[in-house]
Amino acid sequence: MKKTVIDAHNLTRIYDEKTIPVYALNGVHLHIEEGEFTAIKGPSGSGKTTLLNMIGGLDSPTGGWVEINGTNITGLKGGALIDFRLHNIGFVFQSYNLIPVLTAWENIEFILLLQKRPATERRKRVNELLAQVGLNDKARKRPAELSGGQQQRVAVARALAPKPQFILADEPTANLDSVSASNLLDIMDKLNKEENITFIFSTHDQRVIDRARRVITLEDGKIVADTAPASIVHETTGEK
Amino acid sequence: MILRLTWRNLWRNRRRSFITMTSVTFAVLLAVLMQSFQKGVFDYLVNNVVGFYYGYLQVHRQGYWEEQVVDNSFTQQDSVYNTIKRLPGVKEVIPRLETFILAASGNNSKGCMLAGTDPEKENRLSGIAQKITSGSLPGKNEKAVLLAEGFAKRLKVNAGDTLILFGQGYHGSTAAGKFPIRGIVHFGSPQLNEGLVFLPLEQAMELLGAENQLTSYALVIDDPSRLSAIQASVRKITPENFEVMNWKELMPDIANHIKADGASFYIFTGILYLIIAFGIFGTILMMTAERRYEFGMLTAIGMKKSRLGLILFLESLFITLIGVLAGLLASLPPVIYFNRHPLVLKGEMARIYEQFGFEAIFPTAVDPGIFITQSIIVLVIAFITGLYPVWHISRLDPYNAMKR
Ligand SMILES: Nc1ncnc2c1ncn2[C@@H]1O[C@H](COP(=O)(O)OP(=O)(O)OP(=O)(O)O)[C@@H](O)[C@H]1O
Ligand SMILES: [Mg+2]
């Protein structure tokens, strides 16, 4: 049996509870296993970001709970939660992922510094990660000197650096042209296949959805579909 | 890492950092200059009046200062003189016999303060020998006078002329005498310059018929900041029927003026610093608002709020620190310059000052205490305003901060 990394139970998130309540999430159950490459799609306002925030420990649910690798993060507070994120979850945001005053290399090293890793280990790991995202030659560039796609690749490398349980990416390609987007997807795909890195990303983009191996559809805060797209179903049929 | 980030963030919005730094620089420069001038002018004033004649402390017979007449003098006693002189902190004791008297030359006559004293000792107190503009210092018992420059002008006399002194002596006797003018001396204080006449002590006693009588001991002390302590110890060893007064009691006008001016200085600098505080706070507010998303992102990926807060705190502290250092450096040359070459007012303004009894000369004081206090005040402001982003971060929650 595969290892469960995320187990979310009956997640509910209500905004503006006292005035006009908005059910951003309404009773979502989610089970994610190691090595998944899962897209979360849905119309704007359907709750994609809210769901990712819940499983990423960036916001706490109004009801329900989230377990990551056996730890219930819904009960974690303040510093403990920040620490948990640092060691267990990699984040890639839509844009402005990087610290503008640090170079690409330093941005990746930053997270290892937060983890207090020794210098030799940091150097080795950062170089290795930059190679994996194909940006060895951009190590000394600051974010402003990189293209949007390159910035997102650095962000992926940074998210990978601490060897997290999984990587969450909220619309990682939304600000990219299609070439850069497919480039980023190639890298994520490769990392998933070769290193068994678990990716969960939200998106509007059909081309991105097509490359996912599992697609969860949200509508009005509920999961209305949870399938593999047709093209992939064939490949994976009979695997289980 | 913290220092690296702090340092680079400083250069991130160069213009804003620069504006904040320069405003701190100017505030420090202004405050230091103002305080240096203020202290310099007062030191100068006190030095001219106190240092050149009155002394920091005076000992008289009880009641003399109320009614300054020779009849309120006391008989010279070596024992009193010696015990005072031996007190630690007392550098010099100058016995004097003073009275108001009429001075005349030709058809001109004017009232003046006659100071019977030891010219040599006066010179040790104030170095008046260097202030002599013509003629020379009279000898210890010489029958000759030394005139203040302004007074000589008013009487239209010069060194070498003869002065007639006429007035009331001890116990109702008549005092009258003719004295050659040995020298003219310039006093910084207009009050002294307009009406002081020195006569060697024994000559004054003889003129006033006051053998062995003194009106005061003027004391030179080595550390003006210990004034009240020294005053207390002098008080303890002088007989009951003497009064021991410090210069502030002798000249309440000057003391009050300094006090009032000090108060307005504090109000002014208070306002200046309030402006600076709001300026620094404004930039910090802008900076935290602008970087809100980044702070959210940093806590999201796992940076502890305490570390982030520390970086922001150090950023604002560094900006101010650099501003303070620049301000101190910038204020050094003018402070030193105006200490060597004081501002001198001319014309109408100068006359107004002189009417109030002040010389229109404005030197600065070069006092490390001023630089230190001003820097500390600004740094304390930076410290307090720097706490704002720390507080802001402590309440930050990443999903809200990153919402656009
Ligand atoms: N902080 C908030 N306060 C109030 N309502 C919120 C807040 N955040 C989200 N919502 C609401 O919750 C619902 C879900 O929002 P969410 O951002 O999760 O949607 P989304 O699927 O990510 O949309 P998009 O595709 O536009 O990013 C929306 O109706 C939104 O208006
Ligand atoms: Mg969203």
Side-chain angles (χ1 to χ4, degrees):
Chain A
M1 214 190 117
K2 280 194 166 176
K3 188 175 141 201
T4 298
V5 285
I6 302 174
D7 198 7
H9 182 82
N10 204 17
L11 276 183
T12 303
R13 178 64 164 98
I14 310 172
Y15 287 112
D16 302 322
E17 228 170 329
K18 288 177 191 110
T19 52
I20 311 155
V22 178
Y23 280 78
L25 277 187
N26 195 351
V28 166
H29 296 271
L30 184 66
H31 187 86
I32 303 240
E33 286 176 353
E34 190 172 31
E36 281 193 24
F37 198 66
T38 299
I40 297 173
K41 71 166 197 172
S44 189
S46 56
K48 302 183 293 295
T49 298
T50 310
L51 178 57
L52 290 186
N53 282 348
M54 295 297 139
I55 57 185
L58 296 179
D59 187 13
S60 40
T62 314
W65 45 256
V66 178
E67 238 175 44
I68 288 173
N69 210 16
T71 307
N72 186 340
I73 63 163
T74 313
L76 291 178
K77 292 251 163 352
L81 185 57
I82 293 178
D83 242 21
F84 186 86
R85 290 200 297 262
L86 173 64
H87 292 282
N88 296 280
I89 309 172
F91 289 93
V92 177
F93 303 103
Q94 188 174 327
S95 54
Y96 302 110
N97 268 291
L98 306 177
I99 303 167
V101 295
L102 298 183
T103 63
W105 204 94
E106 289 166 337
N107 260 286
I108 302 170
E109 187 201 22
F110 178 77
I111 202 109
L112 297 171
L113 277 165
L114 290 182
Q115 288 190 325
K116 304 190 167 74
R117 296 293 174 79
T120 44
E121 185 194 330
R122 292 200 308 262
R123 208 170 309 129
K124 186 163 161 274
R125 182 100 179 108
V126 176
N127 289 335
E128 176 185 302
L129 286 162
L130 268 175
Q132 279 180 317
V133 298
L135 288 174
N136 267 341
D137 54 331
K138 306 287 185 209
R140 299 174 140 270
K141 301 277 184 211
R142 290 205 182 178
E145 301 167 301
L146 298 174
S147 73
Q150 290 166 341
Q151 287 181 31
Q152 290 304 73
R153 278 147 68 187
V154 175
V156 168
R158 181 189 62 190
L160 277 174
K163 301 194 165 128
Q165 303 289 330
F166 56 89
I167 290 180
L168 289 179
D170 193 5
E171 311 207 28
T173 58
N175 287 5
L176 303 182
D177 60 85
S178 54
V179 175
S180 305
S182 101
N183 216 322
L184 186 69
L185 256 292
D186 288 346
I187 287 168
M188 287 165 57
D189 190 82
K190 189 162 169 255
L191 287 165
N192 175 255
K193 283 194 180 128
E194 289 176 5
E195 316 222 347
N196 204 31
I197 308 277
T198 312
F199 279 94
I200 302 138
F201 47 93
S202 74
T203 187
H204 280 308
D205 187 340
Q206 190 55 46
R207 287 165 305 179
V208 176
I209 296 166
D210 285 345
R211 304 193 53 170
R213 287 182 257 291
R214 177 184 174 190
V215 177
I216 295 169
T217 312
L218 277 180
E219 248 167 57
D220 295 330
K222 287 187 175 130
I223 295 182
V224 294
D226 185 351
T227 57
S231 58
I232 311 256
V233 173
H234 290 294
E235 288 174 24
T236 52
T237 314
E239 199 185 82
K240 280 195 177 176
Chain B
M1 173 190 63
I2 289 195
L3 286 179
R4 192 201 309 167
L5 266 178
T6 306
W7 183 248
R8 295 211 190 149
N9 279 331
L10 281 186
W11 303 111
R12 185 164 173 174
N13 193 330
R14 278 157 209 252
R15 189 152 56 140
R16 188 168 56 205
S17 301
F18 182 75
I19 289 172
T20 315
M21 279 178 206
T22 15
S23 64
V24 170
T25 302
F26 275 109
V28 171
L29 176 67
L30 203 61
V32 166
L33 261 184
M34 271 178 41
Q35 213 189 339
S36 298
F37 264 119
Q38 197 213 22
K39 186 161 191 305
V41 169
F42 288 156
D43 284 354
Y44 184 73
L45 180 71
V46 169
N47 201 40
N48 269 346
V49 178
V50 176
F52 272 94
Y53 185 69
Y54 287 96
Y56 281 89
L57 288 172
Q58 280 194 13
V59 177
H60 327 115
R61 194 172 119 185
Q62 191 71 43
Y64 170 77
W65 201 248
E66 269 293 305
E67 201 187 343
Q68 296 175 30
V69 294
V70 188
D71 287 355
N72 276 337
S73 60
F74 57 90
T75 308
Q76 191 165 13
Q77 281 167 286
D78 284 348
S79 59
V80 176
Y81 175 86
N82 287 331
T83 45
I84 294 176
K85 187 146 186 204
R86 272 200 296 268
L87 269 181
V90 175
K91 232 164 69 180
E92 185 64 89
V93 178
I94 304 176
R96 286 183 186 143
L97 177 62
E98 297 157 298
T99 188
F100 289 99
I101 202 164
L102 208 62
S105 171
N107 290 329
N108 299 314
S109 66
K110 294 260 182 286
C112 68
M113 167 80 135
L114 178 73
T117 184
D118 179 342
E120 253 323 301
K121 272 193 177 156
E122 294 291 344
N123 190 34
R124 276 206 290 278
L125 159 70
S126 59
I128 50 169
Q130 260 113 63
K131 300 251 165 184
I132 286 180
T133 54
S134 66
S136 62
L137 212 60
K140 192 166 162 53
N141 287 320
E142 191 183 347
K143 193 177 165 161
V145 290
L146 181 70
L147 253 64
E149 192 185 33
F151 187 68
K153 261 197 197 116
R154 281 169 49 185
L155 270 184
K156 301 192 176 73
V157 291
N158 290 311
D161 293 350
T162 301
L163 194 72
I164 292 164
L165 294 174
F166 180 84
Q168 201 176 34
Y170 194 41
H171 289 323
S173 65
T174 300
K178 237 165 72 174
F179 301 89
I181 300 171
R182 176 65 60 240
I184 309 280
V185 63
H186 172 81
F187 282 101
S189 155
Q191 191 196 347
L192 296 175
N193 205 37
E194 292 299 309
L196 194 61
V197 174
F198 279 124
L199 182 64
L201 183 59
E202 310 228 319
Q203 294 295 333
M205 287 175 174
E206 198 181 313
L207 170 72
L208 299 172
E211 187 75 20
N212 246 346
Q213 291 295 107
L214 294 177
T215 53
S216 61
Y217 287 126
L219 272 59
V220 183
I221 62 178
D222 51 15
D223 182 4
S225 65
R226 288 188 53 238
L227 181 63
S228 20
I230 297 173
Q231 181 177 12
S233 54
V234 174
R235 173 70 277 179
K236 237 197 246 145
I237 56 157
T238 42
E240 271 296 310
N241 57 336
F242 281 77
E243 61 191 16
V244 179
M245 299 173 78
N246 64 40
W247 66 270
K248 292 175 193 169
E249 293 160 335
L250 296 169
M251 288 159 289
D253 285 357
I254 292 181
N256 282 337
H257 173 77
I258 290 177
K259 227 195 220 158
D261 225 63
S264 58
F265 168 80
Y266 283 123
I267 292 169
F268 189 89
T269 39
I271 292 171
L272 181 73
Y273 283 134
L274 213 61
I275 294 170
I276 289 310
F278 276 107
I280 299 177
F281 188 63
T283 32
I284 286 180
L285 214 61
M286 229 156 41
M287 181 273 288
T288 29
E290 252 170 44
R291 282 161 63 184
R292 195 177 147 78
Y293 177 88
E294 183 184 323
F295 299 156
M297 187 268 290
L298 289 170
T299 37
I301 66 171
M303 185 173 202
K304 284 254 173 62
K305 291 177 172 185
S306 51
R307 284 191 168 195
L308 187 51
L310 181 63
I311 289 182
L312 295 172
F313 179 73
L314 289 178
E315 274 179 41
S316 59
L317 206 64
F318 273 2
I319 290 193
T320 340
L321 198 67
I322 295 172
V324 166
L325 289 179
L328 292 182
L329 281 182
S331 62
L332 224 61
V335 166
I336 290 173
Y337 178 84
F338 287 116
N339 179 266
R340 305 268 158 80
H341 314 274
L343 273 181
V344 180
L345 283 189
K346 299 253 158 66
E348 194 58 21
M349 278 304 284
R351 256 179 21 83
I352 291 172
Y353 269 91
E354 269 158 27
Q355 264 164 22
F356 282 103
F358 303 112
E359 205 181 1
I361 289 185
F362 303 91
T364 50
V366 183
D367 178 357
I370 293 175
F371 295 93
I372 293 167
T373 350
Q374 299 306 327
S375 315
I376 287 176
I377 293 173
V378 179
L379 286 178
V380 166
I381 293 174
F383 197 88
I384 295 168
T385 48
L387 287 177
Y388 170 79
V390 177
W391 176 78
H392 176 87
I393 294 292
S394 74
R395 302 182 338 138
L396 186 92
D397 84 60
Y399 86 97
N400 265 328
M402 295 178 71
K403 212 165 52 186
R404 269 168 297 182

